[in-house]
Amino acid sequence: MEAKIGFMVKWPERENIFKIIPPVFKEKFPRLTSIVDCFEIFIDAPKTLLARTQCYSSYKKHTTVKICISCDPLGHINFLSRAWGGRVSDVHLVRKCGFMSPKYHMPDNQILADRGFTLKEDFATACSAHLIIPAFTKGKRQLSAKEVEESRKILSVRIHIERVIGQLKKKGTPYFRVHFRFGV
């Protein structure tokens, strides 16, 4: 994958990172450096039982590989992990792929993620960055008006990573079929 799309992956220079934030994002998240998510790509079932169990995604009900991806506010891919078996959780993948590193994040940087990324303390400890996720109703009957408004604000910006993933899958489909045919 690195050989085919590695040219698209570049972390911006630290001094330029906040210059590229569009004004619409800057008012919502002034220290936003990246939007992170994980996505899965379908693969043929590997021949070995161990590889097959590592690649089977109970969420997708198919054998897949999972990749952690991040983009900047302009939609440029700035981080792409190696492929992991589809069975791995998003949280485990982000912890182990090297994304939570001071190499990428400065203190007080803001990173947007989905609800499932329950890694606020991990990011704070590893690189003093702020992971921002939408509120969820776990343990509550419903969200407060403030939580709903904050979640909408986050989701209006986080949609960009979904668009990047969609474009990557759309343009990369023949590549993914050929190179991931035999599994991980």
Side-chain angles (χ1 to χ4, degrees):
M1 216 158 112
E2 176 67 28
K4 293 289 183 181
I5 61 174
F7 70 93
M8 295 189 316
V9 181
K10 183 175 186 246
W11 197 269
E13 297 294 326
R14 290 189 188 265
E15 55 272 357
N16 296 331
I17 207 158
F18 298 112
K19 292 178 185 175
I20 64 168
I21 300 176
V24 127
F25 296 156
K26 199 173 261 195
E27 69 183 47
K28 293 178 183 179
F29 303 103
R31 307 245 339 131
L32 180 64
T33 56
S34 60
I35 308 164
V36 65
D37 203 354
C38 293
F39 69 99
E40 292 182 72
I41 301 167
F42 291 106
I43 60 170
D44 290 341
K47 290 187 186 336
T48 67
L49 190 56
L50 177 61
R52 193 174 296 182
T53 58
Q54 290 173 338
C55 292
Y56 185 77
S57 168
S58 53
Y59 178 71
K60 297 283 187 177
K61 306 287 188 237
H62 200 279
T63 50
T64 64
V65 290
K66 190 178 280 191
I67 299 164
C68 176
I69 186 171
S70 171
C71 73
D72 65 23
L74 292 177
H76 301 127
I77 299 171
N78 57 16
F79 182 86
L80 196 63
S81 76
R82 297 184 81 155
W84 287 58
R87 183 182 185 123
V88 71
S89 72
D90 291 356
V91 169
H92 183 76
L93 177 53
V94 172
R95 278 186 180 136
K96 299 295 183 181
C97 74
F99 182 70
M100 286 193 300
S101 167
K103 173 182 173 185
Y104 300 116
H105 309 291
M106 295 185 295
D108 295 325
N109 282 171
Q110 295 173 316
I111 303 152
L112 295 184
D114 200 7
R115 284 182 179 92
F117 287 80
T118 54
L119 298 164
K120 284 185 177 189
E121 291 82 20
D122 296 73
F123 273 93
T125 303
C127 54
S128 301
H130 299 285
L131 182 68
I132 302 170
I133 59 173
F136 47 96
T137 57
K138 188 175 183 177
K140 305 177 195 173
R141 289 175 50 112
Q142 79 179 54
L143 299 175
S144 69
K146 183 180 179 185
E147 289 173 322
V148 168
E149 188 56 38
E150 278 295 311
S151 293
R152 283 190 182 142
K153 187 169 81 168
I154 293 165
L155 294 172
S156 72
V157 175
R158 214 192 77 68
I159 190 71
H160 293 286
I161 191 68
E162 301 296 342
R163 291 179 179 144
V164 168
I165 292 169
Q167 287 297 311
L168 187 62
K169 281 183 169 182
K170 183 177 162 186
K171 291 181 179 169
T173 301
Y175 169 76
F176 293 144
R177 254 192 235 120
V178 170
H179 289 83
F180 289 121
R181 184 178 351 169
F182 301 109
V184 178

